[in-house]
Amino acid sequence: MAAPLGAERALLCCLFLGGLCTLASAATRYHKWEISYQFTSQDCVRKLAVTINGKTPGPTIRAVRGDTIVVAVNNTLMTENVAIHWHGIRQIGTPWADGTEGVTQCPILPGDTFTYKFVVDRPGTYMYHAHYGMQRSAGLNGMIVVEVPPGQPEPFGAYERDHTVLLNDWWHKSTYEQAAGLASVPIVWVGEPQSLLINGRGRFVNCSSEASCNVAHPDCSPAVFPVVPGKTYRFRIASVTSLSALNFEIEGHEMTVVEADGHYVKPFVVKNLNIYSGETYSVLITANQDPNRNYWLASNVVSRPPGTPTGTAVLSYYGGRSSPRARPPTSPPAGPAWNDTAYRFRQSVDTVAHPAHVVAPPARSDRSILLLNTQNMIDGKIKWALNNVSFTLPHTPYLVAMKRGLLGAYDERPPPETYDHAGYDIFNVQKNPNTTTSNGLYRLQFSSVVDVVLQNSNMLRANSSETHPWHLHGHDFWVLGYGFGRFDPAVHPATYNLKNPIMKNTVAVHPFGWTALRFRADNPGVWAFHCHIEAHFFMGMGVVFEEGVERVGELPPEIMGCGKTRGGH
Amino acid sequence: MAAPLGAERALLCCLFLGGLCTLASAATRYHKWEISYQFTSQDCVRKLAVTINGKTPGPTIRAVRGDTIVVAVNNTLMTENVAIHWHGIRQIGTPWADGTEGVTQCPILPGDTFTYKFVVDRPGTYMYHAHYGMQRSAGLNGMIVVEVPPGQPEPFGAYERDHTVLLNDWWHKSTYEQAAGLASVPIVWVGEPQSLLINGRGRFVNCSSEASCNVAHPDCSPAVFPVVPGKTYRFRIASVTSLSALNFEIEGHEMTVVEADGHYVKPFVVKNLNIYSGETYSVLITANQDPNRNYWLASNVVSRPPGTPTGTAVLSYYGGRSSPRARPPTSPPAGPAWNDTAYRFRQSVDTVAHPAHVVAPPARSDRSILLLNTQNMIDGKIKWALNNVSFTLPHTPYLVAMKRGLLGAYDERPPPETYDHAGYDIFNVQKNPNTTTSNGLYRLQFSSVVDVVLQNSNMLRANSSETHPWHLHGHDFWVLGYGFGRFDPAVHPATYNLKNPIMKNTVAVHPFGWTALRFRADNPGVWAFHCHIEAHFFMGMGVVFEEGVERVGELPPEIMGCGKTRGGH
C-alpha cells in the first residue's frame, strides 16, 4: 500500500511542423490509497484520525504539467463513506473526477475502491482533501505539486529545491461531535483549535492536562526544513484549515511571493504571508542568515481573536554549528495583530498577475450575480446564507441528475441573483435573520462570462464580520477587486482591475468587505462554489453552478449508487 | 417525526367453512424513523450517540401477530451509512428486509430513506438494532413486542400489563475508536463497560472525574416500573449488550420464566435470570412484597471478571408510603458469582419448551456442521475464527450476488465443515494460532435439516474461555444440548433432547463447552449466524448460510447500490 506506484512516461505527441519535431511526453502517475482510521498524535494528543495509507496528511502528489494522475481510493472505514477533491485542478473533460460528494459523485462506500483519473494541465501548487461532511478536518488532506516540464523556465530565478508546507488547524474533539454541535439548538460550538499544524505536526501546550498527551511521540516532532547557506528555496505553501485564517512567517527571512493558486504573481516581498483556507502560494527565500542557528517557521491565527498558540516548525541550516533539530534560540514570531484587517486587505490587493503571464480578462461580463453573505437562523439553528438562501447538498449528485434528467433530485428554482444592495445594512445585525434552505443552483450559459460579487456583512453578533475564503471548483477566476463596506453596482465595477488581475481558485472576502471576480463558464460540468471554512459550508455557505452539462461525456457508472441513482435507476 | 404513524387494520381473510366465518384481521403499522447524531447522557456522561428520532434506545415497536410492520428509515447522519436488523423476526418471504449489511442489503446512505416492510408472524419478545459496523453499541437499538391477537390465551395466567426491559452496556469511547483499537497492532482493547443501562439509563460511578458528567441529567434518571400490590406483571427482557453477559434480578421478587426468544417455556422459577446478548425472555412476577418501599431492578455482569457496577432501575409500588422514584433502602442485588458457570449452564438446560407448545424437531439431520470457536492471529491482529477461518463480510450483499449470479463477489469455496474434534485440545492455548480470512459461506440444500455444533475452546490467554451468544438470522433452531469439554460426535448426539427442546434464535456457548442445535433450511435467503458480541463478530466470529436463494422473489432495487451493484450493474 505504498503511495505512488510509479509513473509510465508515454509519448504524447510528435508534431512535424516545418520539419521540426516537437516532442512532448506525459506520464501517467498511479497512486493506491487506503483510507483508514488510525490513532495518531499530530499535536502529541492521541486522537482517532482518518488517514491515507496510515498517515495524515497524506502523501504529496508530484507530477509534471500534462501528466495524468490516477488515484485508486480504497475506503476501508467501517461505516463511513469518503470522497476526495483535487483542489485547484479544473478537471477539464473529467467533471466526474472532482470528488465533490452531492455535486459530482456519490460517495465511496466502505469496501469500495473508486479511481480518480485526471490531467494536471497547469504547473503550480495545489492540494487535495476530502469533500464530504467534515472529513477534511478529520485528516484527509495533502498537497499536489505540478512542476513545469524539465528545462522550461519559470518567471523567476532558479531555486535549489522546493519545500512543501501544509498548514492546518486541529481539534481534539471528533468531527462527528463538531458537526452534531453545529446542528444542535442551541449551537454547541467547538471553539478555537487546540493546535496549529505544519505538515501535520503541532504541539498541544497543555500537554500535562491530557492523559493521552505524549510530547515524545514521533507524530508531533516538529517538521524540519533543511537549507544550504546562500541557496534560494521555493516554499510551496497550502492551507487546509477548517476555520483559521493564518499568517505564515519564516523567522528572519523575507519571502518573495511568486505564485498563487497555480498562477504566477508579480513578485512582491513580504515579512509574512496571510493565507486563507483553500489558498496556495509559492514564496522564494534565500538562506542568507547566520547559519549557526536555526529559525522558526511560524503560523499564527489572524482574523479571529487569538485562542491558539503559534504553530511552529524549524528552518535548519546545513553545516552550521546548530544541530538540525535544535530549537531556535528565539521566541517564534507572533504574527501581525489578529484584527489588522487593513494589513491583510493590502496583501490581497498586492497579489496581481506577473507581467509576462497576464491572462487578459474579458472586458465585460454577460451576467452578474451578487451574493450577500449573512448569518441566519432556521428553527433555532444557526446557518449561513447567500441572498437569504442557506445551501443544502442534494443526495443525488447534480452532475448525474442533470445529465440524465432525473426529476426531483434538486430544487429547480434558481436561487436569487441579487439582494437589496441599496438597502441592506451590512454593518449591523440583520433585522430578520430567518432564512430558508434550498439546493437550487445557478445555470450558466455555456462559455458566457460571469461576474460574482461576494458581499460580506455583520454576523448575528454585533460588530462582527469574519473572513470567508471562497473556493470555486472547475475554474480559475480573475480577481477584479476588493472593497470595504457596501458594494455599489453603479460605482465599483468601474474600479475593477482589468489590467493585470491575478487568477485564483480561492479568494478572501474580508470583514465588512466585498470581493469581485469574473470567470468564463467554459468547463462543462457542475461546480461548487463555497466558503472553504468547513463549518461554514456545512451550515449552508455555498452555491452551485452548472454550465454545458449536455456537453459532458458519458458518465462513469462508478459515480452513481446513491439517492436517485441507487439500485441502477 | 413522531414514532408510529398509526395502524391500518385491514380485513385479511374471511373463510366460509361449514357456514362458519373465521374473521382474522391484520394491521399495517407505519413508523417513520430519523437516524441522527445527538449528544446524550445515558449514564450521566455526555456522549455523541446515534439515535432514532433523537433517542436511544429507539421506540418500542408494538404489534399483534400477523401485522405488517413498515419502518421508513431516513439516514440523516453526515457521512455514515446505517442498516437495521429485526432480531428474531424470520423475514419469511422478505429476506431482503433482514437489515444485515453485506448479507441482505447495501447500507442506507446519508440522505437516503430505506423502507423495511415485514410481517411479524409469531407473538413474542424481540428486538431491533443496527447491523453495520458497531452501530448497535453507538445507540441504534430497541425492542419489538408482538402480542397474541385479542382474546387468544397464552399458556400462563393472565397478567395486569407488561413492562419492557432493555439491557445494555455502555462505553464513553466512541465505537469508531473501539473498532480502530480492535484492528490495531497491538490490539487496543476498550476494556469493560463504564456502565450498565436499563432502558437506556445508567449512572457512571466516577461522575466527579468527568467534566461532562451531570447526575441531574434527565437522560440518566433511573427507569421506574410501577406495579399495583397483588397484581402480576409480565416483564419482557432483552439484552443488546456489546460485550457483557448479564444476570438480571428484581429484588425480592421471584421470576417465573415463561418465554424465550418468542417461544413458550415450560415455566420455571428463578431468583435471577442469566441473559446473553441477543436473547429475550418473558418472566412473570407478582407484586407481593411490602408496598411501602421500592425495590431494585439490577443487572450484573457475569462470565467476565467484574469491572462494571450494577445497573439499576426501580420497581415502584403504587399506593404505598414510598414515593414512586424513591431509592430503595437496600443495596442493589450483586448477582451470582461471575464465574459460576455451572449455575448459568443449569439455567440454560432448564429452558425447555412448554408442554403444550412443543414443536417436535426432526428426528435426524441431513448434515452436521461442527464449528470450533477459536481466538487467532492474522498479521499480529487478534481475530476470532471458526474451524480456523475468520469471517469477513463481502461488500456486495450475498443475497444480491447469489440471486443475480454476480461473479467474484465472495469466495465460492465453502469454509470447512468440521475440525479435528478428536485431536484439538480445547483446554489449552492453541499451538498455531495463525488463521486466514474468508467470506465463503455454507450452501444448504433447501428444506434440509442441519445440525450445528458450536465447540468453545481456550482463548489466546491461558485458562480462559468466554461465553459466546450465537444468533441465527431467518430461523429459530432447536437447542438440542449443551455440554462441558470436548464434543464427541460419536457419543453426544445420543444425549440430545429431542423431546421438548426449546426453539430460540440466540443461544449461549458456555466457557469450555459446546452447544448443539438443529434447524430446517426452509427460509429462502441468505442468513448470518454469528456471535452477538459486537467486537467478536467484527473480529470474524460468524458464518453465513444460503438456502433456496433461487426461490427468493424479485429483489427490491433499494437494497443495491454498493460493491458490484453500484451504478446499476
Side-chain angles (χ1 to χ4, degrees):
Chain A
M1 284 297 162
L5 289 189
E8 293 167 0
R9 200 153 279 279
L11 199 62
L12 188 66
C13 63
C14 183
L15 302 169
F16 283 87
L17 293 166
L20 210 98
C21 178
T22 303
L23 188 65
S25 71
T28 300
R29 297 176 185 271
Y30 296 94
H31 299 263
K32 206 169 168 181
W33 286 3
E34 187 179 286
I35 311 296
S36 68
Y37 295 118
Q38 300 291 338
F39 290 103
T40 67
S41 299
Q42 305 308 129
D43 69 347
C44 304
V45 175
R46 192 162 182 270
K47 186 192 165 182
L48 194 69
V50 185
T51 65
I52 297 170
N53 295 339
K55 301 286 180 196
T56 175
T60 296
I61 293 179
R62 286 193 173 261
V64 175
R65 191 197 66 202
D67 286 353
T68 297
I69 307 294
V70 179
V71 187
V73 178
N74 175 218
N75 178 4
T76 75
L77 302 180
M78 189 175 46
T79 55
E80 198 176 345
N81 310 313
V82 295
I84 308 282
H85 170 56
W86 317 94
H87 179 120
I89 309 301
R90 289 170 294 171
Q91 303 291 352
I92 295 166
T94 52
W96 48 75
D98 191 47
T100 312
E101 188 275 335
V103 179
T104 65
Q105 72 167 105
C106 291
I108 310 168
L109 271 64
D112 281 356
T113 297
F114 182 91
T115 301
Y116 292 95
K117 184 175 180 181
F118 52 88
V119 173
V120 288
D121 64 339
R122 207 185 45 219
T125 307
Y126 308 100
M127 66 184 87
Y128 62 80
H129 56 75
H131 212 296
Y132 188 44
M134 296 179 77
Q135 284 174 342
R136 185 179 92 216
S137 314
L140 286 184
N141 53 68
M143 289 183 72
I144 304 173
V145 172
V146 183
E147 320 249 15
V148 294
Q152 183 175 314
E154 293 193 273
F156 40 81
Y159 51 87
E160 183 68 11
R161 58 161 289 193
D162 68 6
H163 283 297
T164 55
V165 178
L166 183 59
L167 304 175
N168 200 1
D169 44 12
W170 195 246
W171 284 260
H172 297 161
K173 282 212 187 306
S174 74
T175 54
Y176 319 103
E177 290 173 282
Q178 292 185 42
L182 292 175
S184 293
V185 179
I187 195 168
V188 179
W189 172 243
V190 68
E192 301 303 312
Q194 275 71 59
S195 304
L196 298 177
L197 309 183
I198 297 181
N199 287 356
R201 290 142 188 275
R203 177 157 299 196
F204 181 53
V205 285
N206 296 317
C207 195
S208 58
S209 72
E210 286 269 356
S212 66
C213 192
N214 171 14
V215 292
H217 199 290
D219 285 354
C220 61
S221 154
V224 174
F225 298 85
V227 291
V228 173
K231 301 283 189 187
T232 295
Y233 293 86
R234 179 179 191 168
F235 278 73
R236 297 177 180 268
I237 308 157
S239 171
V240 289
T241 56
S242 297
L243 173 68
S244 311
L246 296 177
N247 180 277
F248 176 74
E249 182 164 342
I250 304 178
E251 184 190 13
H253 294 75
E254 284 186 333
M255 301 187 280
T256 304
V257 181
V258 296
E259 181 218 342
D261 293 6
H263 291 273
Y264 295 121
V265 168
K266 182 179 174 187
F268 64 105
V269 174
V270 295
K271 177 169 184 278
N272 52 50
L273 177 77
N274 301 302
I275 180 167
Y276 306 96
S277 182
E279 287 190 320
T280 61
Y281 290 94
S282 282
V283 301
L284 299 181
I285 75 153
T286 300
N288 55 9
Q289 298 298 304
D290 175 4
N292 293 314
R293 55 159 289 192
N294 292 340
Y295 300 84
W296 292 109
L297 276 69
S299 147
N300 284 290
V301 169
V302 288
S303 174
R304 293 177 66 89
T308 311
T310 303
T312 57
V314 174
L315 186 79
S316 173
Y317 273 70
Y318 271 121
R321 286 197 303 269
S322 184
S323 98
R325 299 192 156 267
R327 191 184 162 84
T330 44
S331 288
W338 71 269
N339 55 359
D340 189 351
T341 307
Y343 174 72
R344 294 187 291 112
F345 183 89
R346 211 154 50 234
Q347 208 170 80
S348 290
V349 172
D350 284 349
T351 309
V352 294
H354 190 281
H357 291 267
V358 172
V359 181
R364 57 190 57 79
S365 69
D366 300 306
R367 182 174 176 184
S368 280
I369 298 172
L370 273 54
L371 297 176
L372 175 66
N373 292 228
T374 53
Q375 204 178 31
N376 296 71
M377 301 292 291
I378 296 179
D379 299 336
K381 294 181 186 178
I382 298 179
K383 299 285 177 184
W384 290 92
L386 289 313
N387 298 350
N388 215 36
V389 175
S390 184
F391 177 72
T392 53
L393 278 168
H395 296 294
T396 306
Y398 291 105
L399 183 62
V400 185
M402 301 184 83
K403 174 84 177 154
R404 296 203 163 181
L406 304 179
L407 294 176
Y410 60 92
D411 187 348
E412 301 213 13
R413 292 166 302 180
E417 200 88 359
T418 186
Y419 62 96
D420 175 15
H421 47 78
Y424 189 89
D425 180 2
I426 68 153
F427 290 106
N428 279 297
V429 175
Q430 55 180 319
K431 291 177 189 124
N432 175 13
N434 287 334
T435 188
T436 54
T437 62
S438 170
N439 54 28
L441 79 169
Y442 296 96
R443 304 195 68 160
L444 308 178
Q445 190 170 346
F446 186 70
S447 217
S448 65
V449 177
V450 179
D451 279 5
V452 177
V453 180
L454 295 156
Q455 170 71 66
N456 212 338
S457 69
N458 201 100
M459 300 161 61
L460 292 177
R461 194 176 59 237
N463 301 314
S464 306
S465 183
E466 297 189 334
T467 307
H468 300 287
W470 275 77
H471 171 60
L472 178 58
H473 293 225
H475 306 78
D476 297 324
F477 47 74
W478 291 275
V479 181
L480 299 186
Y482 298 89
F484 273 121
R486 190 185 294 178
F487 176 82
D488 185 341
V491 173
H492 292 116
T495 69
Y496 286 169
N497 172 17
L498 298 176
K499 198 179 116 250
N500 62 352
I502 186 73
M503 297 194 83
K504 296 190 96 249
N505 61 60
T506 306
V507 71
V509 183
H510 292 289
F512 298 111
W514 56 263
T515 300
L517 51 95
R518 180 169 292 176
F519 66 97
R520 194 180 285 279
D522 58 359
N523 191 6
V526 188
W527 307 105
F529 178 48
H530 60 92
C531 178
H532 209 257
I533 293 176
E534 194 93 308
H536 290 188
F537 183 46
F538 182 79
M539 295 158 86
M541 201 168 196
V543 299
V544 169
F545 297 122
E546 174 275 334
E547 67 211 41
V549 73
E550 69 286 351
R551 295 166 184 252
V552 171
E554 193 170 351
L555 300 178
E558 293 75 18
I559 67 171
M560 304 174 201
C562 61
K564 292 183 184 297
T565 69
R566 192 176 177 94
H569 286 297
Chain B
M1 285 298 161
L5 289 190
E8 294 167 0
R9 199 151 280 280
L11 197 64
L12 187 67
C13 65
C14 182
L15 303 170
F16 285 87
L17 293 167
L20 210 100
C21 177
T22 304
L23 189 66
S25 72
T28 300
R29 297 175 186 272
Y30 295 95
H31 299 263
K32 206 170 168 180
W33 286 3
E34 188 178 286
I35 310 297
S36 68
Y37 295 118
Q38 300 290 338
F39 289 105
T40 67
S41 299
Q42 305 308 130
D43 69 346
C44 304
V45 174
R46 193 160 180 272
K47 186 192 166 182
L48 195 69
V50 186
T51 65
I52 297 170
N53 296 338
K55 301 286 181 194
T56 176
T60 297
I61 292 179
R62 285 194 174 260
V64 176
R65 190 198 65 203
D67 286 352
T68 297
I69 308 293
V70 179
V71 187
V73 178
N74 175 219
N75 178 4
T76 75
L77 302 179
M78 190 173 48
T79 54
E80 198 176 345
N81 310 314
V82 294
I84 309 282
H85 171 55
W86 316 94
H87 179 119
I89 310 300
R90 289 170 294 169
Q91 303 290 353
I92 295 167
T94 53
W96 48 75
D98 191 48
T100 312
E101 188 275 334
V103 180
T104 65
Q105 71 167 109
C106 292
I108 310 168
L109 271 65
D112 280 356
T113 298
F114 182 90
T115 301
Y116 292 95
K117 184 176 179 182
F118 52 88
V119 173
V120 287
D121 65 338
R122 206 185 45 221
T125 306
Y126 307 101
M127 65 183 87
Y128 61 80
H129 57 75
H131 212 295
Y132 188 44
M134 295 179 78
Q135 286 175 339
R136 187 179 90 216
S137 314
L140 286 184
N141 53 67
M143 288 184 74
I144 304 173
V145 172
V146 182
E147 318 248 16
V148 293
Q152 184 175 312
E154 292 193 272
F156 40 81
Y159 52 87
E160 184 66 11
R161 58 162 288 193
D162 68 6
H163 283 298
T164 56
V165 178
L166 182 60
L167 304 175
N168 200 2
D169 44 13
W170 196 246
W171 283 261
H172 297 162
K173 283 214 187 305
S174 73
T175 54
Y176 319 104
E177 290 173 283
Q178 292 184 42
L182 291 176
S184 294
V185 179
I187 196 169
V188 179
W189 172 242
V190 68
E192 300 303 311
Q194 274 70 58
S195 304
L196 298 177
L197 308 183
I198 297 182
N199 287 356
R201 290 142 187 276
R203 176 158 299 196
F204 180 53
V205 285
N206 296 318
C207 194
S208 58
S209 71
E210 286 269 355
S212 66
C213 192
N214 170 13
V215 290
H217 199 290
D219 285 355
C220 60
S221 154
V224 174
F225 298 85
V227 292
V228 172
K231 302 283 190 188
T232 295
Y233 293 86
R234 178 178 190 168
F235 278 73
R236 295 177 180 270
I237 309 157
S239 172
V240 288
T241 55
S242 298
L243 173 68
S244 312
L246 296 177
N247 179 275
F248 175 74
E249 181 164 344
I250 304 180
E251 185 191 12
H253 295 73
E254 284 187 331
M255 300 187 281
T256 304
V257 182
V258 295
E259 182 218 340
D261 292 7
H263 291 273
Y264 295 122
V265 168
K266 182 178 172 186
F268 65 104
V269 175
V270 295
K271 177 169 184 276
N272 52 49
L273 177 78
N274 300 300
I275 179 167
Y276 306 96
S277 181
E279 286 191 319
T280 62
Y281 289 94
S282 284
V283 300
L284 300 181
I285 73 151
T286 299
N288 55 9
Q289 298 298 305
D290 176 4
N292 293 313
R293 56 159 288 192
N294 291 340
Y295 299 84
W296 292 109
L297 275 71
S299 145
N300 284 290
V301 170
V302 288
S303 173
R304 292 178 67 90
T308 311
T310 303
T312 57
V314 175
L315 186 79
S316 172
Y317 273 70
Y318 271 123
R321 286 197 303 270
S322 184
S323 98
R325 297 190 157 270
R327 191 182 162 84
T330 44
S331 289
W338 71 270
N339 55 359
D340 189 349
T341 307
Y343 175 71
R344 296 188 290 111
F345 183 88
R346 212 155 46 234
Q347 209 170 79
S348 291
V349 171
D350 284 349
T351 307
V352 294
H354 189 281
H357 292 266
V358 172
V359 181
R364 59 190 57 78
S365 68
D366 300 306
R367 181 175 176 183
S368 280
I369 298 172
L370 273 53
L371 297 175
L372 174 67
N373 292 228
T374 53
Q375 204 178 30
N376 296 71
M377 302 293 290
I378 297 179
D379 299 337
K381 295 182 186 177
I382 298 179
K383 299 284 177 187
W384 290 93
L386 289 312
N387 298 350
N388 216 35
V389 175
S390 185
F391 177 73
T392 54
L393 277 167
H395 296 293
T396 306
Y398 292 106
L399 184 62
V400 185
M402 300 184 85
K403 173 83 178 154
R404 296 201 163 183
L406 304 178
L407 293 176
Y410 60 92
D411 187 347
E412 301 212 15
R413 291 165 302 180
E417 201 88 359
T418 187
Y419 61 97
D420 176 16
H421 46 78
Y424 189 88
D425 180 2
I426 68 153
F427 291 106
N428 279 297
V429 174
Q430 54 180 317
K431 291 178 189 124
N432 175 13
N434 287 335
T435 186
T436 55
T437 64
S438 170
N439 55 27
L441 79 170
Y442 296 96
R443 304 195 69 159
L444 308 177
Q445 190 170 347
F446 186 69
S447 218
S448 66
V449 177
V450 178
D451 279 4
V452 177
V453 179
L454 295 155
Q455 171 72 64
N456 212 339
S457 69
N458 201 101
M459 300 162 61
L460 292 176
R461 194 175 58 238
N463 301 313
S464 306
S465 183
E466 297 190 335
T467 306
H468 300 288
W470 275 77
H471 170 59
L472 178 58
H473 293 226
H475 306 77
D476 297 323
F477 48 73
W478 291 273
V479 181
L480 299 186
Y482 299 90
F484 274 121
R486 191 186 292 179
F487 176 81
D488 186 340
V491 172
H492 292 116
T495 68
Y496 286 169
N497 171 15
L498 298 176
K499 198 179 114 248
N500 62 352
I502 187 72
M503 297 194 83
K504 297 189 94 254
N505 61 62
T506 305
V507 71
V509 182
H510 292 288
F512 298 112
W514 56 263
T515 301
L517 50 94
R518 178 169 293 177
F519 66 97
R520 192 180 286 278
D522 58 359
N523 190 8
V526 188
W527 308 105
F529 178 47
H530 60 92
C531 178
H532 208 257
I533 293 175
E534 196 90 309
H536 290 188
F537 183 47
F538 181 81
M539 295 159 85
M541 201 169 196
V543 299
V544 169
F545 297 122
E546 174 274 333
E547 67 212 42
V549 73
E550 69 286 350
R551 294 167 184 251
V552 170
E554 193 170 349
L555 300 178
E558 293 75 18
I559 66 172
M560 303 173 201
C562 61
K564 292 183 184 294
T565 70
R566 193 175 176 96
H569 286 296

